Amino acid sequence: MLFLPGHRPTWVEKAIRAGADAICLDLEDAVPAGEKEAARAVVAESVGRAKRLKPNIGVLVRVNGLPTGMTGFDLEAVMVPGVDGIFAPKIEDAADALRFDTLVEWFEQRNGVSDVGLAIPMETAKAFANVEAIAASTPRIGIILGSTAEHADVAREIGFEWTPQGLETLAHRARVLLACRVAGVHAMTGLWERIHDLDGLRAFCDQGRQIGFRGQIAIHPSHVDVINQAFGPSPEDIAFYRGLVEAYRAAADAGSGAAVYRGRHIDKAHVDKATEWLARAEQVTEFDAAPAAEGEGQHA
């Protein structure tokens, strides 16, 4: 999920060219206070344009948080056809999530849109402490982000000293991941702020995938390809899991509930994991292969 400033409409094309699965048009931190009102109309137009350029891309909008008093004005403007989700900042407990849910439902009805999800970042100590209740609060929540940014709200709130290895946030991220698994919510990780350190980004992505995350947010187009490679299925992995399923089926046909595959013991549990992994890999591959809408072209 690639973030871009909501008041910069020309960045939509750049974000789509970068190959992100989703974009998040930001009305919060990325937009100066004096430009927020004008940015709402820009974001509403950008939602539709993004969908015309790449119909299957996810389009979210980060609105201003509930304490600002601007949330309703933001939602009224940006809840337009094509918006897939609202990125809801500064959620600290289940009650906050339900307040957002109520607002989104209201503006769905008012603006004639439907099926708008919520993406919720863990940005405060209270949020991390309440992540299980937040994740279970409403089925509208589709994504929870285990935030780890070096200089963002979460670092100030919790007081950790950031390192590239990320061990200081490992426990917090693991708690988010487990809460998401229990609630059936997609868990994402992020954020890597060092724009030019792609090797560091790659290591951070690999760690996130190893923990169990299946996606990451980005703030620069140059990071998208690294993230996609880290979290996407490689040809080698696809061949491995297909071979595993075939080896088990051959053993099962011969009357055995287990087999040895590439020197590893495998049984039904391994096949269940491989089957689920392959289904996700197929979804990702289909998304990447989907053609751009007429008019985008190779040069867009």
Side-chain angles (χ1 to χ4, degrees), residues 173-197:
R173 286 182 285 153
R175 182 168 183 175
V176 170
L177 177 67
L178 290 174
C180 288
R181 288 289 180 268
V182 171
V185 173
H186 181 53
M188 297 186 73
T189 187
L191 170 70
W192 188 260
E193 293 181 312
R194 301 188 174 190
I195 302 299
H196 302 296
D197 183 6

Side-chain angles (χ1 to χ4, degrees), residues 5-9 12 25-27 31 35-49 52 61 64 73-80:
H7 63 313
R8 303 290 188 192
V12 171
L25 303 162
D26 191 5
L27 281 172
V31 178
E35 298 186 42
K36 288 185 184 289
E37 185 174 354
R40 293 175 185 135
V42 175
V43 166
E45 191 278 331
S46 294
V47 169
R49 190 168 78 258
R52 290 191 297 273
V61 177
N64 291 279
F73 295 106
D74 290 344
L75 290 172
E76 183 177 30
V78 305
M79 291 278 287
V80 295

Side-chain angles (χ1 to χ4, degrees), residues 47-256:
V47 169
R49 190 168 78 258
K51 286 294 190 179
R52 290 191 297 273
L53 291 171
K54 191 169 181 63
N56 69 337
I57 197 169
V59 180
L60 295 89
V61 177
R62 178 162 76 167
V63 297
N64 291 279
L66 296 169
T68 68
M70 292 186 284
T71 311
F73 295 106
D74 290 344
L75 290 172
E76 183 177 30
V78 305
M79 291 278 287
V80 295
V83 68
D84 296 301
I86 297 298
F87 199 93
K90 308 303 185 290
I91 296 291
E92 293 197 316
D93 54 31
D96 286 344
L98 289 171
R99 290 169 69 193
F100 251 104
D101 177 84
T102 300
L103 283 169
V104 170
E105 183 176 6
W106 165 258
F107 285 108
E108 279 184 333
Q109 297 292 325
R110 177 168 177 165
N111 294 6
V113 296
S114 60
D115 299 323
V116 177
L118 284 176
I120 298 181
M122 298 293 97
E123 298 177 285
T124 68
K126 190 175 179 181
F128 274 102
N130 292 322
V131 63
E132 293 88 356
I134 292 170
S137 62
T138 166
R140 193 181 295 275
I141 297 174
I143 295 170
I144 291 182
L145 172 69
S147 309
T148 61
E150 184 174 359
H151 296 111
D153 297 316
V154 63
R156 183 187 71 251
E157 272 271 333
I158 296 179
F160 59 74
E161 296 183 5
W162 185 90
T163 67
Q165 293 75 30
L167 296 180
E168 69 285 346
T169 60
L170 185 57
H172 312 318
R173 286 182 285 153
R175 182 168 183 175
V176 170
L177 177 67
L178 290 174
C180 288
R181 288 289 180 268
V182 171
V185 173
H186 181 53
M188 297 186 73
T189 187
L191 170 70
W192 188 260
E193 293 181 312
R194 301 188 174 190
I195 302 299
H196 302 296
D197 183 6
L198 298 185
D199 289 336
L201 168 65
R202 188 172 292 105
F204 181 76
C205 292
D206 288 343
Q207 184 197 63
R209 187 193 68 251
Q210 290 160 3
I211 295 170
F213 288 99
R214 292 296 177 262
Q216 183 167 314
I217 65 171
I219 56 171
H220 196 273
S222 66
H223 289 188
V224 172
D225 188 53
V226 174
I227 294 171
N228 282 341
Q229 288 182 30
F231 289 97
S234 70
E236 294 78 14
D237 286 337
I238 291 173
F240 176 86
Y241 283 116
R242 283 177 176 168
L244 187 153
V245 172
E246 291 169 2
Y248 176 80
R249 287 175 178 169
D253 289 343
S256 176

